[in-house]
Amino acid sequence: MTFGFAPASAAASTSAASANRLLEPAEWAAAGIPLLRNPREIVSGLHARHHPQPATAVVAVLDPDERLRASASFVRRPAPADGWMFRNVLLAQLRRVIPHDLRRRTPVRTAVLLYCREGDARWTEEDGAWMWGLRDACTLHGLRCGAYITLTRDGWQVLGEGRGGRRPHSASEPEPFGMSEAPPPLPRTGGAASEILRRAAAAR
């Protein structure tokens, strides 16, 4: 399986990227995102809990030992990709499932984002907007910004790392849990829905 980045279009200029609030692959790679020790285990565990379909995002919080502490999934409505809106929805989901760590001098927990989408595994501007949103949401919730993972028909990949696999993929059935963690809290309900995203699934 081959991973890579799609060539940038002429429209994706620096000014456009700034206006749309997205991160280019080089910016993400330079951000010092911590590497996952066992990304396939993380991906398989989240896939088994949430069984994401295309346009579904799963945000998860891991403790220092990479045990899952909380997760939530939601569906992106069709609309232009905007990192600011993605940030707001990710932050809202984090606030529902786990307390913030803003009182700590240094973040100890890490948030990762798994996004199931159509297309191939190469970077897109939509991915860049999710990266921007994840980084900003983590800062505002006192978390470390962790990996951004795409799930497509080709399989999964951790963008910026070159690591991935064929299973699970966007059409595969959930596999048995392989992660060791405390049970995630039950999801909370209520609250105003985002203009762009809505919650579509709860932690299983």
Side-chain angles (χ1 to χ4, degrees):
M1 184 173 182
T2 302
F3 298 112
F5 296 124
S9 66
S13 63
T14 301
S15 59
S18 175
N20 293 332
R21 301 179 181 91
L22 60 84
L23 291 177
E24 298 283 353
E27 294 175 294
W28 183 256
I33 305 301
L35 301 179
L36 292 171
R37 291 194 295 270
N38 193 338
R40 188 185 189 284
E41 187 173 289
I42 300 293
V43 172
S44 296
L46 294 177
H47 184 265
R49 282 170 177 78
H50 297 275
H51 198 193
Q53 302 298 310
T56 302
V58 181
V59 62
V61 178
L62 310 177
D63 70 11
D65 295 321
E66 288 194 358
R67 291 175 297 187
L68 181 66
R69 290 307 178 191
S71 63
S73 60
F74 48 92
V75 171
R76 178 185 187 276
R77 290 182 176 172
D82 187 304
W84 186 79
M85 293 302 298
F86 289 172
R87 184 277 306 273
N88 290 346
V89 177
L90 288 170
L91 187 59
Q93 297 295 333
L94 290 169
R95 286 170 173 166
R96 289 190 180 102
V97 299
I98 199 162
H100 68 74
D101 278 347
L102 293 172
R103 293 185 179 87
R104 293 184 178 273
R105 289 180 178 270
T106 304
V108 296
R109 296 185 292 190
T110 302
V112 299
L113 180 62
L114 171 72
Y115 183 54
C116 181
R117 61 168 172 77
E118 301 287 359
D120 59 30
R122 294 177 295 177
W123 181 89
T124 67
E125 288 190 0
E126 182 184 25
D127 294 325
W130 280 116
M131 291 171 169
W132 192 97
L134 176 63
R135 185 186 64 177
D136 221 41
C138 287
T139 299
L140 295 174
H141 206 62
L143 303 170
R144 287 201 308 171
C145 179
Y148 173 70
I149 306 161
T150 58
L151 189 70
T152 67
R153 63 175 182 270
D154 295 330
W156 59 271
Q157 78 153 327
V158 185
L159 285 189
E161 293 186 20
R163 293 192 291 174
R166 293 186 180 276
R167 294 188 64 86
H169 53 77
S170 58
S172 61
E173 291 299 318
E175 299 177 0
F177 287 140
M179 298 169 66
S180 174
E181 77 293 322
L186 292 175
R188 301 177 188 174
T189 58
S194 163
E195 294 178 3
I196 289 186
L197 305 172
R198 63 182 175 82
R199 190 175 180 117
R204 298 179 187 273

